[in-house]
Short mmCIF file of all heavy atoms in Angstrom, two decimals:
data_model
loop_
_atom_site.label_atom_id
_atom_site.label_comp_id
_atom_site.label_asym_id
_atom_site.label_seq_id
_atom_site.Cartn_x
_atom_site.Cartn_y
_atom_site.Cartn_z
N MET G 1 111.12 110.18 95.48
CA MET G 1 111.35 109.36 96.68
C MET G 1 112.53 109.95 97.43
O MET G 1 113.57 110.18 96.86
CB MET G 1 111.63 107.93 96.22
CG MET G 1 111.95 106.98 97.32
SD MET G 1 110.71 105.75 97.53
CE MET G 1 110.01 106.22 99.04
N ASP G 2 112.33 110.18 98.70
CA ASP G 2 113.37 110.76 99.54
C ASP G 2 114.55 109.79 99.68
O ASP G 2 114.36 108.61 100.01
CB ASP G 2 112.77 111.08 100.91
CG ASP G 2 113.76 111.72 101.85
OD1 ASP G 2 114.47 112.64 101.41
OD2 ASP G 2 113.81 111.30 103.01
N ALA G 3 115.76 110.28 99.43
CA ALA G 3 116.96 109.45 99.49
C ALA G 3 117.18 108.86 100.88
O ALA G 3 117.60 107.71 101.02
CB ALA G 3 118.18 110.25 99.05
N LYS G 4 116.90 109.64 101.92
CA LYS G 4 117.07 109.15 103.30
C LYS G 4 116.13 107.99 103.59
O LYS G 4 116.50 107.01 104.22
CB LYS G 4 116.83 110.27 104.31
CG LYS G 4 117.82 111.37 104.25
CD LYS G 4 118.93 111.10 105.21
CE LYS G 4 119.86 112.31 105.25
NZ LYS G 4 121.14 112.00 105.75
N LEU G 5 114.89 108.11 103.12
CA LEU G 5 113.92 107.04 103.31
C LEU G 5 114.37 105.78 102.57
O LEU G 5 114.28 104.67 103.10
CB LEU G 5 112.53 107.47 102.83
CG LEU G 5 111.41 106.46 102.97
CD1 LEU G 5 111.20 106.05 104.42
CD2 LEU G 5 110.12 107.01 102.39
N LEU G 6 114.86 105.95 101.36
CA LEU G 6 115.31 104.81 100.56
C LEU G 6 116.47 104.08 101.23
O LEU G 6 116.58 102.86 101.13
CB LEU G 6 115.71 105.28 99.16
CG LEU G 6 115.94 104.22 98.12
CD1 LEU G 6 114.73 103.30 97.98
CD2 LEU G 6 116.26 104.85 96.78
N GLU G 7 117.30 104.82 101.96
CA GLU G 7 118.43 104.20 102.66
C GLU G 7 117.98 103.25 103.77
O GLU G 7 118.65 102.27 104.05
CB GLU G 7 119.33 105.28 103.28
CG GLU G 7 120.16 106.02 102.28
CD GLU G 7 121.02 107.11 102.93
OE1 GLU G 7 121.24 107.04 104.17
OE2 GLU G 7 121.45 108.00 102.21
N ILE G 8 116.86 103.55 104.42
CA ILE G 8 116.44 102.72 105.55
C ILE G 8 115.40 101.65 105.18
O ILE G 8 115.20 100.72 105.94
CB ILE G 8 115.92 103.57 106.73
CG1 ILE G 8 114.72 104.41 106.31
CG2 ILE G 8 117.01 104.46 107.28
CD1 ILE G 8 114.04 105.13 107.46
N LEU G 9 114.74 101.81 104.03
CA LEU G 9 113.74 100.82 103.62
C LEU G 9 114.43 99.54 103.14
O LEU G 9 115.44 99.59 102.44
CB LEU G 9 112.87 101.36 102.49
CG LEU G 9 111.78 102.34 102.88
CD1 LEU G 9 111.06 102.84 101.63
CD2 LEU G 9 110.79 101.70 103.83
N VAL G 10 113.86 98.41 103.51
CA VAL G 10 114.34 97.11 103.06
C VAL G 10 113.14 96.28 102.61
O VAL G 10 111.99 96.59 102.93
CB VAL G 10 115.12 96.35 104.16
CG1 VAL G 10 116.39 97.09 104.53
CG2 VAL G 10 114.26 96.11 105.38
N CYS G 11 113.41 95.22 101.90
CA CYS G 11 112.35 94.31 101.47
C CYS G 11 111.69 93.69 102.71
O CYS G 11 112.39 93.21 103.61
CB CYS G 11 112.95 93.21 100.60
SG CYS G 11 111.77 91.92 100.15
N PRO G 12 110.37 93.71 102.77
CA PRO G 12 109.70 93.14 103.95
C PRO G 12 109.80 91.62 104.04
O PRO G 12 109.54 91.06 105.09
CB PRO G 12 108.24 93.58 103.77
CG PRO G 12 108.08 93.85 102.33
CD PRO G 12 109.42 94.29 101.82
N ILE G 13 110.20 90.97 102.95
CA ILE G 13 110.30 89.50 102.96
C ILE G 13 111.70 89.04 103.36
O ILE G 13 111.87 88.31 104.32
CB ILE G 13 109.90 88.91 101.58
CG1 ILE G 13 108.40 89.07 101.33
CG2 ILE G 13 110.21 87.42 101.51
CD1 ILE G 13 108.01 90.27 100.60
N CYS G 14 112.72 89.52 102.61
CA CYS G 14 114.09 89.03 102.85
C CYS G 14 114.96 90.02 103.61
O CYS G 14 116.10 89.71 103.94
CB CYS G 14 114.75 88.65 101.53
SG CYS G 14 115.18 90.07 100.49
N LYS G 15 114.45 91.24 103.84
CA LYS G 15 115.18 92.32 104.52
C LYS G 15 116.38 92.81 103.70
O LYS G 15 117.28 93.45 104.22
CB LYS G 15 115.66 91.92 105.92
CG LYS G 15 114.58 91.33 106.80
CD LYS G 15 113.43 92.27 107.01
CE LYS G 15 112.42 91.66 107.98
NZ LYS G 15 111.09 91.66 107.50
N GLY G 16 116.38 92.52 102.40
CA GLY G 16 117.45 92.95 101.51
C GLY G 16 117.23 94.37 101.00
O GLY G 16 116.18 94.97 101.21
N PRO G 17 118.24 94.91 100.31
CA PRO G 17 118.15 96.28 99.79
C PRO G 17 117.13 96.38 98.65
O PRO G 17 116.82 95.40 97.99
CB PRO G 17 119.57 96.57 99.29
CG PRO G 17 120.13 95.22 98.98
CD PRO G 17 119.50 94.27 99.98
N LEU G 18 116.64 97.60 98.44
CA LEU G 18 115.67 97.87 97.39
C LEU G 18 116.26 98.85 96.38
O LEU G 18 117.01 99.75 96.75
CB LEU G 18 114.38 98.45 97.98
CG LEU G 18 113.62 97.54 98.92
CD1 LEU G 18 112.55 98.33 99.65
CD2 LEU G 18 113.01 96.37 98.17
N PHE G 19 115.89 98.68 95.12
CA PHE G 19 116.29 99.58 94.05
C PHE G 19 115.07 100.41 93.66
O PHE G 19 113.99 99.86 93.46
CB PHE G 19 116.79 98.76 92.85
CG PHE G 19 116.87 99.54 91.58
CD1 PHE G 19 117.86 100.47 91.38
CD2 PHE G 19 115.94 99.34 90.58
CE1 PHE G 19 117.92 101.20 90.21
CE2 PHE G 19 115.99 100.06 89.40
CZ PHE G 19 117.00 100.99 89.21
N HIS G 20 115.23 101.72 93.54
CA HIS G 20 114.12 102.59 93.16
C HIS G 20 114.10 102.76 91.65
O HIS G 20 115.01 103.33 91.07
CB HIS G 20 114.26 103.95 93.84
CG HIS G 20 113.11 104.87 93.57
ND1 HIS G 20 113.26 106.21 93.41
CD2 HIS G 20 111.78 104.63 93.41
CE1 HIS G 20 112.09 106.78 93.17
NE2 HIS G 20 111.18 105.82 93.17
N ASP G 21 113.06 102.24 91.01
CA ASP G 21 112.85 102.42 89.57
C ASP G 21 111.97 103.66 89.41
O ASP G 21 110.75 103.60 89.58
CB ASP G 21 112.18 101.19 88.96
CG ASP G 21 112.07 101.27 87.45
OD1 ASP G 21 112.02 102.39 86.90
OD2 ASP G 21 112.03 100.21 86.81
N LYS G 22 112.60 104.79 89.11
CA LYS G 22 111.88 106.06 89.03
C LYS G 22 110.85 106.07 87.90
O LYS G 22 109.78 106.62 88.05
CB LYS G 22 112.86 107.21 88.84
CG LYS G 22 113.74 107.43 90.04
CD LYS G 22 114.74 108.53 89.80
CE LYS G 22 115.71 108.60 90.97
NZ LYS G 22 116.74 109.59 90.76
N SER G 23 111.18 105.45 86.77
CA SER G 23 110.27 105.48 85.63
C SER G 23 108.97 104.72 85.90
O SER G 23 107.91 105.11 85.43
CB SER G 23 110.95 104.93 84.38
OG SER G 23 111.27 103.56 84.55
N LYS G 24 109.05 103.64 86.67
CA LYS G 24 107.85 102.84 86.98
C LYS G 24 107.27 103.15 88.35
O LYS G 24 106.25 102.60 88.73
CB LYS G 24 108.18 101.34 86.90
CG LYS G 24 108.50 100.87 85.51
CD LYS G 24 108.75 99.39 85.50
CE LYS G 24 109.10 98.91 84.11
NZ LYS G 24 109.42 97.48 84.11
N GLN G 25 107.95 104.02 89.11
CA GLN G 25 107.54 104.35 90.47
C GLN G 25 107.36 103.08 91.31
O GLN G 25 106.29 102.81 91.87
CB GLN G 25 106.27 105.20 90.48
CG GLN G 25 106.50 106.64 90.06
CD GLN G 25 107.47 107.35 91.02
OE1 GLN G 25 107.16 107.55 92.17
NE2 GLN G 25 108.65 107.70 90.53
N GLU G 26 108.44 102.29 91.37
CA GLU G 26 108.44 101.04 92.13
C GLU G 26 109.74 100.90 92.90
O GLU G 26 110.78 101.41 92.48
CB GLU G 26 108.31 99.84 91.20
CG GLU G 26 106.99 99.73 90.49
CD GLU G 26 106.92 98.55 89.55
OE1 GLU G 26 107.93 98.20 88.91
OE2 GLU G 26 105.82 97.98 89.43
N LEU G 27 109.66 100.20 94.02
CA LEU G 27 110.85 99.77 94.75
C LEU G 27 111.01 98.28 94.45
O LEU G 27 110.08 97.51 94.66
CB LEU G 27 110.69 100.00 96.25
CG LEU G 27 110.61 101.47 96.67
CD1 LEU G 27 110.34 101.56 98.17
CD2 LEU G 27 111.87 102.21 96.32
N ILE G 28 112.18 97.90 93.98
CA ILE G 28 112.39 96.53 93.50
C ILE G 28 113.37 95.78 94.39
O ILE G 28 114.45 96.28 94.71
CB ILE G 28 112.90 96.55 92.05
CG1 ILE G 28 111.83 97.18 91.16
CG2 ILE G 28 113.29 95.16 91.58
CD1 ILE G 28 112.25 97.41 89.75
N CYS G 29 112.96 94.58 94.77
CA CYS G 29 113.84 93.65 95.48
C CYS G 29 114.37 92.67 94.43
O CYS G 29 113.60 91.87 93.89
CB CYS G 29 113.08 92.90 96.58
SG CYS G 29 114.12 91.65 97.39
N ARG G 30 115.65 92.75 94.16
CA ARG G 30 116.25 91.86 93.15
C ARG G 30 116.26 90.40 93.62
O ARG G 30 116.05 89.50 92.83
CB ARG G 30 117.66 92.33 92.83
CG ARG G 30 117.70 93.65 92.11
CD ARG G 30 119.14 94.03 91.77
NE ARG G 30 119.16 95.30 91.08
CZ ARG G 30 119.77 96.37 91.53
NH1 ARG G 30 120.40 96.34 92.69
NH2 ARG G 30 119.75 97.49 90.85
N ALA G 31 116.50 90.19 94.90
CA ALA G 31 116.59 88.83 95.43
C ALA G 31 115.27 88.07 95.30
O ALA G 31 115.25 86.90 94.90
CB ALA G 31 117.04 88.86 96.89
N ASP G 32 114.16 88.73 95.63
CA ASP G 32 112.85 88.08 95.58
C ASP G 32 112.11 88.33 94.27
O ASP G 32 111.03 87.78 94.07
CB ASP G 32 111.97 88.57 96.74
CG ASP G 32 112.50 88.09 98.09
OD1 ASP G 32 112.93 86.93 98.18
OD2 ASP G 32 112.46 88.88 99.05
N ARG G 33 112.68 89.19 93.41
CA ARG G 33 112.08 89.57 92.13
C ARG G 33 110.64 90.07 92.34
O ARG G 33 109.71 89.62 91.71
CB ARG G 33 112.13 88.42 91.12
CG ARG G 33 113.58 88.05 90.80
CD ARG G 33 113.81 87.40 89.47
NE ARG G 33 113.26 88.06 88.31
CZ ARG G 33 113.86 89.04 87.61
NH1 ARG G 33 115.01 89.50 88.01
NH2 ARG G 33 113.29 89.53 86.53
N LEU G 34 110.53 91.04 93.28
CA LEU G 34 109.25 91.67 93.59
C LEU G 34 109.38 93.17 93.41
O LEU G 34 110.43 93.75 93.69
CB LEU G 34 108.82 91.38 95.02
CG LEU G 34 108.44 89.94 95.35
CD1 LEU G 34 108.19 89.81 96.84
CD2 LEU G 34 107.21 89.52 94.57
N ALA G 35 108.30 93.80 92.96
CA ALA G 35 108.25 95.25 92.81
C ALA G 35 107.13 95.79 93.68
O ALA G 35 105.98 95.34 93.58
CB ALA G 35 108.03 95.62 91.35
N PHE G 36 107.47 96.74 94.54
CA PHE G 36 106.51 97.37 95.43
C PHE G 36 106.19 98.76 94.88
O PHE G 36 107.10 99.56 94.65
CB PHE G 36 107.09 97.48 96.85
CG PHE G 36 107.44 96.15 97.45
CD1 PHE G 36 108.72 95.62 97.32
CD2 PHE G 36 106.49 95.41 98.14
CE1 PHE G 36 109.04 94.39 97.86
CE2 PHE G 36 106.79 94.18 98.69
CZ PHE G 36 108.07 93.66 98.55
N ALA G 37 104.92 99.05 94.68
CA ALA G 37 104.51 100.33 94.11
C ALA G 37 104.77 101.48 95.07
O ALA G 37 104.73 101.31 96.28
CB ALA G 37 103.02 100.28 93.77
N VAL G 38 105.04 102.65 94.47
CA VAL G 38 105.14 103.89 95.23
C VAL G 38 103.97 104.76 94.76
O VAL G 38 103.94 105.19 93.61
CB VAL G 38 106.49 104.61 94.99
CG1 VAL G 38 106.54 105.92 95.76
CG2 VAL G 38 107.65 103.71 95.37
N LYS G 39 103.01 104.96 95.65
CA LYS G 39 101.80 105.72 95.29
C LYS G 39 101.80 107.05 96.03
O LYS G 39 101.85 107.07 97.26
CB LYS G 39 100.54 104.92 95.63
CG LYS G 39 100.44 103.63 94.84
CD LYS G 39 99.20 102.85 95.20
CE LYS G 39 99.17 101.55 94.42
NZ LYS G 39 98.02 100.73 94.78
N ASP G 40 101.76 108.14 95.28
CA ASP G 40 101.78 109.49 95.85
C ASP G 40 102.96 109.68 96.79
O ASP G 40 102.84 110.29 97.86
CB ASP G 40 100.46 109.81 96.58
CG ASP G 40 99.26 109.79 95.65
OD1 ASP G 40 99.40 110.24 94.50
OD2 ASP G 40 98.19 109.32 96.09
N GLY G 41 104.11 109.10 96.42
CA GLY G 41 105.31 109.24 97.23
C GLY G 41 105.41 108.31 98.41
O GLY G 41 106.36 108.36 99.18
N ILE G 42 104.42 107.43 98.58
CA ILE G 42 104.39 106.51 99.72
C ILE G 42 104.57 105.07 99.23
O ILE G 42 103.77 104.59 98.44
CB ILE G 42 103.07 106.63 100.50
CG1 ILE G 42 102.90 108.07 101.00
CG2 ILE G 42 103.02 105.64 101.66
CD1 ILE G 42 101.53 108.38 101.52
N PRO G 43 105.62 104.39 99.68
CA PRO G 43 105.83 103.00 99.26
C PRO G 43 104.80 102.06 99.90
O PRO G 43 104.53 102.15 101.09
CB PRO G 43 107.24 102.66 99.74
CG PRO G 43 107.65 103.76 100.64
CD PRO G 43 106.70 104.89 100.51
N VAL G 44 104.24 101.19 99.09
CA VAL G 44 103.28 100.18 99.56
C VAL G 44 104.08 98.89 99.75
O VAL G 44 104.33 98.16 98.80
CB VAL G 44 102.12 99.99 98.56
CG1 VAL G 44 101.14 98.96 99.09
CG2 VAL G 44 101.43 101.31 98.27
N MET G 45 104.48 98.64 100.99
CA MET G 45 105.39 97.54 101.29
C MET G 45 104.68 96.27 101.76
O MET G 45 105.14 95.59 102.66
CB MET G 45 106.41 98.00 102.35
CG MET G 45 107.20 99.24 101.96
SD MET G 45 108.14 99.04 100.43
CE MET G 45 109.34 97.85 100.95
N LEU G 46 103.58 95.94 101.14
CA LEU G 46 102.83 94.74 101.48
C LEU G 46 103.12 93.64 100.46
O LEU G 46 103.02 93.87 99.25
CB LEU G 46 101.33 95.04 101.49
CG LEU G 46 100.86 96.10 102.47
CD1 LEU G 46 99.40 96.44 102.21
CD2 LEU G 46 101.07 95.63 103.88
N GLU G 47 103.44 92.46 100.94
CA GLU G 47 103.73 91.34 100.05
C GLU G 47 102.54 91.05 99.14
O GLU G 47 102.70 90.76 97.96
CB GLU G 47 104.11 90.10 100.85
CG GLU G 47 104.50 88.92 99.99
CD GLU G 47 104.91 87.70 100.80
OE1 GLU G 47 104.87 87.74 102.05
OE2 GLU G 47 105.28 86.70 100.17
N SER G 48 101.35 91.16 99.68
CA SER G 48 100.14 90.87 98.90
C SER G 48 99.90 91.88 97.78
O SER G 48 99.20 91.59 96.82
CB SER G 48 98.92 90.82 99.83
OG SER G 48 98.73 92.06 100.46
N GLU G 49 100.49 93.07 97.90
CA GLU G 49 100.32 94.11 96.88
C GLU G 49 101.49 94.16 95.90
O GLU G 49 101.46 94.90 94.92
CB GLU G 49 100.20 95.48 97.56
CG GLU G 49 98.97 95.63 98.41
CD GLU G 49 97.70 95.76 97.61
OE1 GLU G 49 97.70 96.41 96.56
OE2 GLU G 49 96.68 95.17 98.03
N ALA G 50 102.54 93.40 96.16
CA ALA G 50 103.74 93.42 95.32
C ALA G 50 103.48 92.76 93.97
O ALA G 50 102.68 91.83 93.85
CB ALA G 50 104.90 92.72 96.02
N ARG G 51 104.20 93.26 92.97
CA ARG G 51 104.13 92.69 91.62
C ARG G 51 105.33 91.76 91.44
O ARG G 51 106.47 92.14 91.70
CB ARG G 51 104.19 93.83 90.59
CG ARG G 51 104.17 93.38 89.15
CD ARG G 51 104.11 94.58 88.21
NE ARG G 51 105.36 95.33 88.16
CZ ARG G 51 106.37 95.07 87.36
NH1 ARG G 51 106.34 94.03 86.54
NH2 ARG G 51 107.46 95.82 87.38
N GLU G 52 105.05 90.52 91.00
CA GLU G 52 106.14 89.59 90.73
C GLU G 52 106.77 89.96 89.40
O GLU G 52 106.08 90.20 88.41
CB GLU G 52 105.62 88.15 90.68
CG GLU G 52 105.23 87.62 92.04
CD GLU G 52 104.90 86.14 92.00
OE1 GLU G 52 105.53 85.40 91.22
OE2 GLU G 52 104.01 85.74 92.75
N LEU G 53 108.10 90.00 89.39
CA LEU G 53 108.80 90.32 88.16
C LEU G 53 109.00 89.06 87.33
O LEU G 53 109.53 88.06 87.83
CB LEU G 53 110.17 90.94 88.48
CG LEU G 53 110.13 92.24 89.27
CD1 LEU G 53 111.54 92.66 89.64
CD2 LEU G 53 109.43 93.32 88.50
N PRO G 54 108.58 89.08 86.06
CA PRO G 54 108.81 87.93 85.19
C PRO G 54 110.30 87.68 85.00
O PRO G 54 111.11 88.61 85.12
CB PRO G 54 108.15 88.32 83.86
CG PRO G 54 107.44 89.60 84.09
CD PRO G 54 107.89 90.16 85.40
N ALA G 55 110.66 86.46 84.73
CA ALA G 55 112.07 86.09 84.57
C ALA G 55 112.78 86.88 83.47
O ALA G 55 113.97 87.15 83.56
CB ALA G 55 112.18 84.59 84.29
N ASP G 56 112.02 87.30 82.46
CA ASP G 56 112.65 88.02 81.35
C ASP G 56 112.68 89.53 81.54
O ASP G 56 113.21 90.25 80.71
CB ASP G 56 111.94 87.69 80.03
CG ASP G 56 110.47 88.10 80.03
OD1 ASP G 56 109.92 88.33 81.10
OD2 ASP G 56 109.90 88.19 78.93
N GLU G 57 112.12 90.03 82.64
CA GLU G 57 112.12 91.48 82.88
C GLU G 57 113.47 91.92 83.46
O GLU G 57 113.94 91.38 84.45
CB GLU G 57 110.99 91.90 83.82
CG GLU G 57 110.90 93.39 83.99
CD GLU G 57 109.65 93.84 84.75
OE1 GLU G 57 108.65 93.08 84.77
OE2 GLU G 57 109.68 94.93 85.32
N GLU G 58 114.05 92.91 82.82
CA GLU G 58 115.32 93.47 83.23
C GLU G 58 115.13 94.28 84.52
O GLU G 58 114.19 95.05 84.64
CB GLU G 58 115.85 94.40 82.14
CG GLU G 58 117.22 94.93 82.38
CD GLU G 58 118.32 94.02 81.87
OE1 GLU G 58 118.04 93.11 81.08
OE2 GLU G 58 119.46 94.24 82.28
N VAL G 59 116.01 94.08 85.47
CA VAL G 59 115.98 94.85 86.72
C VAL G 59 117.13 95.83 86.66
O VAL G 59 118.28 95.42 86.55
CB VAL G 59 116.10 93.93 87.95
CG1 VAL G 59 116.11 94.76 89.22
CG2 VAL G 59 114.96 92.93 87.98
N GLY G 60 116.81 97.13 86.72
CA GLY G 60 117.84 98.17 86.61
C GLY G 60 118.86 98.13 87.73
O GLY G 60 118.73 97.38 88.68
N SER G 61 119.87 98.98 87.59
CA SER G 61 120.92 99.03 88.61
C SER G 61 120.95 100.36 89.29
O SER G 61 120.33 101.29 88.94
CB SER G 61 122.27 98.74 87.98
OG SER G 61 122.54 99.66 86.95
#
C-alpha cells in the first residue's frame, strides 16, 4: 500500500484515520471497528463490503 495514498484515505463513515494491517491486507477504522479489504493493492472503501471487527479482536497500532 502506497504511503502517500494511506495518508489521504479516511474512513468513509466517520472520516477518521485508518490503520493498515499488512498481514491481513485491510485498512482498519478503530473508531467504527470496521476493516476494509485491500484487493490487488486497491482499497475497497464501501461500508457494505467492510468487515465488522469483533469486540475481542485486537486492533494493531
Side-chain angles (χ1 to χ4, degrees):
M1 177 113 250
D2 182 46
K4 294 268 187 200
L5 180 60
L6 192 55
E7 286 179 20
I8 60 172
L9 283 176
V10 295
C11 174
I13 290 93
C14 71
K15 309 301 184 232
L18 297 168
F19 164 74
H20 183 216
D21 186 333
K22 293 177 187 177
S23 64
K24 293 183 181 176
Q25 286 298 294
E26 293 178 325
L27 294 175
I28 297 173
C29 175
R30 292 182 180 118
D32 292 320
R33 297 205 51 86
L34 292 174
F36 300 92
V38 178
K39 297 180 182 177
D40 298 322
I42 301 168
V44 181
M45 304 301 293
L46 300 171
E47 183 178 2
S48 61
E49 296 287 322
R51 178 175 72 87
E52 289 187 35
L53 299 174
D56 61 343
E57 185 171 337
E58 186 87 15
V59 178
S61 57

